[in-house]
Amino acid sequence: MQLFYRSYVEKCKALKMALKYIDIGANLTDSMFCGVYGGSKKHPDDLDLVLKRAWQQGLQKIIITVGTLSEADKALEIANKDERLYVTMGCHPTRCGEFLTNPEEYYEALKEKISSNPKKIVAIGECGLDYDRLHFCDKETQKIYFEKQLHLAKEFQLPLFLHCRNSHEDFMSILERNRSLFESCAGGVVHSFDGSLSEAEKILNYHSQLYLGINGCSLRTVDNLTVASQLPNERLMIETDCPWCGIRPTHAGFEFVETKFPSVKKKEKWSAESLIEGRCEPCQISQVLEVIAGIKKESVNKLADVIYDNTVRLFFNKEMK
């Protein structure tokens, strides 16, 4: 297995990693990257190894997702160790109950993090609505503090990293009601999109600077693949949403995966040169691209270039000027 991995890396280097990727959604603060699963330590902290594999695979930048203030400092600590790492800043819909104790204090704390880290924070979010997990936070609270965070995007002229799960109608209603706010910020992306074609079209028709983020969860079923195959390339971005949303052998998109990585089935069998089955890593973003190219019957290289340019335009336009 070690020889296989070394030969794979050497092949990548020989190709000079012609394909370039940006992972717009990586949950690198998750305890799995410290070797902790369900509160139990299974293997050493291996985030450095995870990132090494990512850079070898052609990742140029990774955006670390922040879903709550309690994750913010850890995310920034990770990001400050490498110029290729960036951060979103916001409150996930399932965590919006954290606003309730002192809404203004929580909001001001988000503002302070953003204003203090202008070179690292590239988006507001993850924010939006999630009606699949109302046991964590009720609808009304989610709607109030999704709308509240739109003002952060306007104030700091940053794009939005958006979450919409089983909540399309209310999600679009809030965006429509706040169109002037959206138009005065820097655009956004609805990440981990797995909705219908009709929902995709409504999102894309809302504004030319609103994109769709695709990951393994966006490519699970035949219906998902049918939708993804019809989405315009110039409005797509890719992500892993790691350590979640990997492309599994049971997923409809798996047949299009060409890049395979050495892996172990059990966490306790961890090795420095292998992935762990069930724990997604940023390096697996190449698989997401391969599935999209496969269902669209398009060149992986050309698609990679378009998606890379989309992502730079939304998140790193100021940096490139």
Side-chain angles (χ1 to χ4, degrees):
M1 187 175 289
Q2 292 180 356
L3 287 173
F4 172 82
Y5 187 72
R6 281 198 295 270
S7 65
Y8 173 77
V9 172
E10 288 166 1
K11 180 181 178 182
C12 290
K13 289 180 178 178
L15 292 172
K16 297 183 180 179
M17 293 313 304
L19 298 182
K20 297 188 299 183
Y21 306 94
I22 298 174
D23 190 346
I24 66 166
N27 300 288
L28 298 186
T29 62
D30 193 277
S31 63
M32 290 189 201
F33 296 118
C34 296
V36 177
Y37 302 76
S40 177
K41 186 82 169 180
K42 301 296 185 182
H43 60 75
D45 184 328
D46 64 347
L47 182 57
D48 288 346
L49 295 170
V50 168
L51 290 172
K52 181 179 179 181
R53 283 191 282 270
W55 310 137
Q56 289 171 334
Q57 187 61 19
L59 270 293
Q60 305 296 302
K61 302 176 189 292
I62 298 173
I63 303 175
I64 303 169
T65 305
V66 168
T68 170
L69 268 174
S70 62
E71 297 172 354
D73 288 340
K74 183 176 180 180
L76 287 164
E77 180 184 356
I78 295 169
N80 283 323
K81 293 178 180 178
D82 195 303
E83 63 182 5
R84 296 166 289 187
L85 296 173
Y86 298 84
V87 172
T88 71
M89 189 60 59
C91 188
H92 190 282
T94 62
R95 305 297 292 273
C96 279
E98 295 183 6
F99 271 97
L100 296 177
T101 302
N102 192 326
E104 284 308 310
E105 182 178 292
Y106 197 94
Y107 185 77
E108 290 299 318
L110 287 174
K111 284 178 61 174
E112 192 279 327
K113 294 293 183 189
I114 299 165
S115 60
S116 299
N117 298 276
K119 293 183 178 179
K120 283 296 179 182
I121 296 174
V122 295
I124 303 302
E126 173 174 4
C127 59
L129 302 176
D130 188 323
Y131 290 175
D132 275 350
R133 291 175 281 182
L134 293 175
H135 54 288
F136 289 121
C137 186
D138 65 271
K139 288 184 182 181
E140 289 308 310
T141 299
Q142 288 188 35
K143 288 191 285 188
I144 290 168
Y145 294 106
F146 171 31
E147 197 158 5
K148 181 80 170 174
Q149 290 177 83
L150 297 179
H151 293 269
L152 290 173
K154 177 182 179 181
E155 180 173 350
F156 291 98
Q157 287 295 288
L158 288 171
L160 287 152
F161 187 74
L162 296 163
H163 180 105
C164 178
R165 185 62 47 83
N166 192 25
S167 55
H168 176 79
E169 186 174 337
D170 284 350
F171 179 86
M172 292 307 301
S173 176
I174 288 173
L175 287 185
E176 288 291 352
R177 187 163 66 245
N178 292 277
R179 183 175 286 275
S180 62
L181 276 178
F182 188 90
E183 290 179 347
S184 62
C185 75
V189 57
V190 179
H191 102 105
S192 195
F193 179 78
D194 65 354
S196 68
L197 183 60
S198 173
E199 290 172 347
E201 289 172 343
K202 287 176 182 177
I203 290 168
L204 297 178
N205 289 337
Y206 172 77
H207 198 279
S208 62
Q209 289 302 304
L210 190 54
Y211 297 79
L212 296 173
I214 303 297
N215 58 36
C217 289
S218 312
L219 305 165
R220 285 179 294 192
T221 69
V222 172
D223 286 346
N224 289 154
L225 299 187
T226 299
V227 172
S229 69
Q230 298 177 71
L231 301 177
N233 296 346
E234 65 273 12
R235 305 290 291 280
L236 292 182
M237 295 180 188
I238 54 176
E239 57 180 294
T240 59
D241 205 23
C242 65
W244 320 105
C245 292
I247 300 174
R248 299 176 180 270
T250 54
H251 291 179
F254 187 77
E255 67 173 294
F256 298 100
V257 171
E258 297 179 4
T259 303
K260 306 291 174 61
F261 298 90
S263 62
V264 294
K265 291 186 177 181
K266 294 185 177 181
K267 307 168 189 69
E268 294 81 1
K269 299 291 185 180
W270 174 92
S271 76
E273 296 183 321
S274 298
L275 278 65
I276 298 170
E277 287 189 17
R279 184 187 75 168
C280 184
E281 294 189 13
C283 66
Q284 291 172 279
I285 200 166
S286 56
Q287 297 177 334
V288 178
L289 179 69
E290 288 164 0
V291 176
I292 298 173
I295 60 178
K296 286 176 168 283
K297 297 181 172 59
E298 295 184 11
S299 161
V300 170
N301 294 70
K302 290 182 180 179
L303 189 59
D305 288 343
V306 172
I307 291 174
Y308 184 84
D309 289 346
N310 294 345
T311 310
V312 169
R313 189 179 308 114
L314 182 67
F315 292 109
F316 304 105
N317 192 37
K318 293 179 182 177
E319 180 181 302
M320 298 303 171
K321 288 181 179 178

